[in-house]
């Protein structure tokens, strides 16, 4: 694989993916906190060995810096599944149940209008099963919805409103 020269922006993104503070990265890379701060602030005096140590620490903990650009977690699911038919919600839930095997998982979703697909009785039944599963496993769901959205199927605290 070709070497990728990380930038301050990529390093900050990698820290965000890992949910790390600068101190966490410094410890993992075995460098000083000031070395992390200097690099992220665009210092041109950061040694190449320090830069590689920062990158290596991120990579060791599951972050990839693809040659094509950007940053991502190695364990990300990089596929889109499409569920159709009257039982699409049940299929969707089963996929989530399989993917989230541990308790206290976090699920991120987005929805243009949940009202478009919640009027069917099969969907309502699947939604009730999903809510019970969320409570049992202490799973957290965060769903982005556009401003003006008024149809909420999950607890209201699950939603984050974004500009339409």
């Amino acid at each position: 694989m070709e070497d990728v020269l990380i930038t301050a922006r990529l390093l900050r993104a990698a820290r965000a993916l890992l949910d790390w503070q600068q101190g966490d990265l410094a410890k993992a890379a075995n460098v000083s906190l000031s070395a992390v701060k200097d690099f992220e602030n665009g210092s041109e005096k950061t040694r190449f060995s320090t830069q590689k140590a920062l990158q290596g620490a991120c990579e060791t903990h599951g972050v990839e810096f693809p040659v094509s650009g950007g940053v991502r977690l190695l364990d990300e699911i990089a596929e889109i599944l499409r569920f159709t038919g009257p039982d699409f919600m049940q299929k969707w839930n089963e996929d989530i149940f399989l993917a989230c095997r541990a308790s206290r998982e976090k699920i991120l979703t987005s929805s243009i209008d949940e009202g478009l697909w919640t009027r069917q009785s099969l969907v309502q039944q699947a939604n009730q099963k999903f809510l019970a599963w969320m409570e049992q496993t202490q799973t957290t769901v965060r769903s982005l919805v556009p401003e003006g959205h008024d149809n909420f199927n999950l607890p209201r605290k699950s939603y984050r409103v974004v500009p339409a």
Side-chain angles (χ1 to χ4, degrees):
M1 181 174 190
E2 293 180 46
D3 280 337
V4 174
L5 187 62
I6 63 166
T7 63
R9 179 180 255 168
L10 287 174
L11 188 63
R12 285 191 299 273
R15 276 197 309 104
L17 287 173
L18 293 168
D19 197 23
W20 280 359
Q21 300 296 316
Q22 288 178 328
D24 300 320
L25 175 56
K27 184 177 179 181
N30 199 25
V31 300
S32 68
L33 178 58
S34 62
V36 175
K37 288 180 179 181
D38 287 346
F39 182 75
E40 288 191 359
N41 288 327
S43 173
E44 295 180 16
K45 61 183 178 180
T46 301
R47 286 188 236 140
F48 183 72
S49 60
T50 300
Q51 187 177 350
K52 292 311 275 182
L54 295 170
Q55 181 175 345
C58 293
E59 289 172 342
T60 297
H61 287 86
V63 171
E64 180 182 27
F65 300 93
V67 174
S68 59
V71 59
R72 66 180 174 218
L73 289 173
L74 286 173
D75 65 353
E76 284 183 334
I77 298 172
E79 65 181 311
I80 296 174
L81 300 175
R82 183 175 181 197
F83 301 108
T84 60
D87 62 344
F88 79 94
M89 185 61 129
Q90 180 181 339
K91 293 175 188 174
W92 184 69
N93 284 350
E94 288 170 1
D95 185 61
I96 290 174
F97 300 156
L98 286 172
C100 299
R101 295 176 187 256
S103 292
R104 300 178 186 262
E105 292 276 1
K106 294 179 182 177
I107 300 171
L108 305 175
T109 70
S110 65
S111 180
I112 293 173
D113 181 3
E114 292 179 12
L116 295 173
W117 46 266
T118 58
R119 294 180 184 100
Q120 303 169 23
S121 63
L122 282 176
V123 172
Q124 291 171 354
Q125 292 170 7
N127 194 45
Q128 291 304 314
K129 184 177 178 180
F130 184 76
L131 291 170
W133 173 81
M134 277 179 56
E135 186 174 325
Q136 176 187 356
T137 61
Q138 298 178 336
T139 298
T140 304
V141 175
R142 296 287 180 250
S143 186
L144 297 177
V145 294
E147 287 176 325
H149 182 82
D150 62 357
N151 190 326
F152 301 101
N153 299 304
L154 298 172
R156 184 73 168 100
K157 67 183 179 184
S158 298
Y159 295 92
R160 300 295 180 264
V161 177
V162 295

